[in-house]
Amino acid sequence: MVFLSKYIVVTGGVVSSIGKGITAASIGRILRSYGVNVTAIKIDPYLNWDSGTLNPYQHGEVFVTEDGMETDLDLGHYERFLDVNLSGESNITTGKVYSSVINHERKGDYLGSCVQIIPHITNKIKDMVRKIADQSNAEVILVEVGGTVGDIESQPFLEALRQLRNEEGHDNVMFVHVTYVPYLRAAGEFKTKPTQHSTKELRSTGIIPDMIICRSELSIDQPLKNKIAHFCDVEREAVINTPDVGSIYEVPLIINKEKVGEYIINRIKIDAGEQDLTEWEHVVESLKQDAYHVSVGIIGKYVELEDAYMSIRESLKHAAANLGIKVNIEWIQAENDIDEDKLSHLDSILIPGGFGERGINGKLEAVRYSLENNVPLFGICLGMQCMVIEFARLNGFEGAHSTEFYQETPHPVIDLMEEQKKIKNIGGTMRLGSYPCKLKENTMAQEAYQQEEVSERHRHRFELNNDYRDVLKEKGLIISGTSPDDFLVEMIELADHPWFLGCQFHPEFKSRPNSAHPIFVSFLKAALKNHKQKSGN
């Protein structure tokens, strides 16, 4: 049986960062509520091959898929909203497209043709999109085009997607354009001209939008929607407003009230069942619970941009909703001195992953504070490594460090494995993607997971040095999780501490709003207990 996928292409105009990813994910969530099988693709027009080497200040966190691809953070939104695992191929970049085409040219696959943007680059883009459709066997493929319409980088992608609609047929490809409608407080009115110009720019590429989703700070009324429909040549019911809301998880409910799902189903002729958004409504309600407020201090070096730790932030929200509490996150710059004044009021501390020496001393100071004051501490990846380093220093290994930061350390408790040292290509030494972890009985880790073995996503080079493993265990460090062959340390904890747990992997990549990650839930339980003890409740 030949299965024909439908495509919904989401473009953006006026300004960047207006929420195309959340909009696309919300459309996917709504279609899922009709029983439709949905997957997603994020197109990033930059020349980088993947997101792995991008500065978090520019692009936010690097999201890691099950198969070990370093991708744009929007794939994290898709996984959380759609509740599916996406492949790394779902992130298409200009670098990947051009690299593939050049490789084909070098092998002579184009039989001497002059290789050009059209048809070679555009054909490759279509091939990549269709490959994901074939592999996923999804009924609907969401395709988000990064950047804004008019960017020179995105032109080949828009041309390829224009061709896709001609080739797949009008009923099988739909275009959704996300724009910004500013409110001028001095004039006391919204302005639609930016949306009109953005739509005009999109139409100049040969793409006529089927739906316009208008982002705004405040709600816009029907007459304004009618004006946009009139000037942008779309149906009135296809002009949708998404004003700012308290939580990104409310967006599917907001646009569902405007019957986005019904319009899309009719437009691309999907055979859908009865809609049921009950589970998502429960998710949104649970996120609003706030019987108790617990504080978590995140010690990082990119804290000025919360998106650098997006999955951690969302995982904490998921866990808090699971427990019926509210989590208050304090962002603490690791480069500054981390003294008692900054930490004494916190219910818990979290040290996220990262690369490079900057901010290491602050993270080590936070570990020491946790150990000396019995404050729950959660270390992720580099955070776990900092826990090991500081524990070693406090237990007789003066100068203990990671060879990532200090090659001459007398006690390299964190180091590269021997086989990794032979690899010179950056990224080649990384453990990326999903790996199994065997849990030790009667540990916090095993109690949280309630399983003997789990699978978690990794993104790191350095490991706990096995040469120090036994002696650290003698000092009281518990190895609560290892690789199935017992060679690599995956999780550590302490028995004589309220909650001191580190993991080499990134559990935040697998947390979902309807299924909070068990380690984050266990962590916030400890934070809540500490909060009650401090407040006397």
Side-chain angles (χ1 to χ4, degrees), residues 184-211:
L184 297 187
R185 296 188 183 277
E189 62 181 352
F190 288 99
K191 291 297 181 182
T192 65
K193 193 64 72 176
T195 293
Q196 294 177 44
H197 280 292
S198 173
T199 306
K200 180 181 178 182
E201 183 76 32
L202 181 62
R203 292 170 70 93
S204 72
T205 68
I207 295 173
I208 301 172
D210 301 284
M211 177 180 284

Side-chain angles (χ1 to χ4, degrees), residues 192 220-230 236 239:
T192 65
I220 63 177
D221 58 20
Q222 192 58 49
L224 203 69
K225 292 181 186 177
N226 293 344
K227 179 180 179 182
I228 291 170
H230 176 72
R236 291 186 177 186
V239 178

Side-chain angles (χ1 to χ4, degrees), residues 41-62:
I41 297 170
K42 172 65 188 294
I43 290 175
D44 282 305
Y46 48 67
L47 278 166
N48 303 65
W49 197 85
D50 63 20
S51 300
T53 56
L54 290 175
N55 189 324
Y57 281 131
Q58 293 186 28
H59 281 270
E61 77 171 5
V62 175

Side-chain angles (χ1 to χ4, degrees), residues 424-458:
K424 301 300 181 185
N425 186 26
I426 188 166
T429 55
M430 295 265 272
R431 263 215 293 161
L432 279 168
S434 186
Y435 287 85
C437 171
K438 180 179 64 176
L439 302 175
K440 183 178 180 180
E441 290 185 3
N442 302 317
T443 59
M444 286 192 300
Q446 199 272 338
E447 182 182 347
Y449 278 108
Q450 292 293 302
Q451 293 176 246
E452 294 180 359
E453 186 173 301
V454 295
S455 175
E456 294 285 1
R457 302 180 193 181
H458 294 65

Side-chain angles (χ1 to χ4, degrees), residues 64-75:
V64 179
T65 55
E66 284 283 293
D67 57 2
M69 184 68 73
E70 297 172 290
T71 71
D72 182 83
L73 59 79
D74 277 324
L75 263 70

Side-chain angles (χ1 to χ4, degrees), residues 197-351:
H197 280 292
S198 173
T199 306
K200 180 181 178 182
E201 183 76 32
L202 181 62
R203 292 170 70 93
S204 72
T205 68
I207 295 173
I208 301 172
D210 301 284
M211 177 180 284
I212 295 177
I213 295 185
C214 304
R215 286 281 293 110
S216 59
E217 292 182 57
L218 307 171
S219 298
I220 63 177
D221 58 20
Q222 192 58 49
L224 203 69
K225 292 181 186 177
N226 293 344
K227 179 180 179 182
I228 291 170
H230 176 72
F231 281 102
C232 297
D233 194 26
V234 297
E235 297 181 6
R236 291 186 177 186
E237 59 269 34
V239 178
I240 309 298
N241 179 218
T242 54
D244 290 349
V245 289
S247 166
I248 58 174
Y249 301 109
E250 293 181 50
V251 177
L253 303 182
I254 295 294
I255 64 175
N256 189 62
K257 290 179 182 177
E258 301 199 41
K259 300 182 178 180
V260 164
E262 289 182 27
Y263 188 88
I264 291 174
I265 285 167
N266 292 328
R267 165 62 183 80
I268 54 177
K269 297 178 173 54
I270 303 172
D271 185 15
E274 289 292 320
Q275 186 181 36
D276 184 4
L277 261 176
T278 307
E279 182 188 32
W280 200 258
E281 289 169 350
H282 289 162
V283 165
V284 172
E285 282 304 310
S286 66
L287 287 163
K288 295 178 181 178
Q289 297 179 62
D290 58 354
Y292 281 95
H293 287 243
V294 300
S295 58
V296 178
I298 296 183
I299 318 294
K301 63 179 182 178
Y302 303 112
V303 293
E304 294 85 355
L305 181 69
E306 289 186 26
D307 281 2
Y309 305 105
M310 179 175 287
S311 291
I312 288 176
R313 182 188 68 198
E314 296 308 308
S315 297
L316 288 168
K317 291 180 182 178
H318 304 162
N322 179 276
L323 296 171
I325 62 176
K326 199 80 171 180
V327 61
N328 296 326
I329 299 174
E330 291 195 26
W331 303 93
I332 301 172
Q333 175 53 253
E335 283 188 271
N336 301 331
D337 291 333
I338 308 296
D339 53 28
E340 187 170 341
D341 291 339
K342 291 182 179 177
L343 302 178
S344 59
H345 64 288
L346 295 171
D347 299 318
S348 58
I349 301 169
L350 189 153
I351 304 177

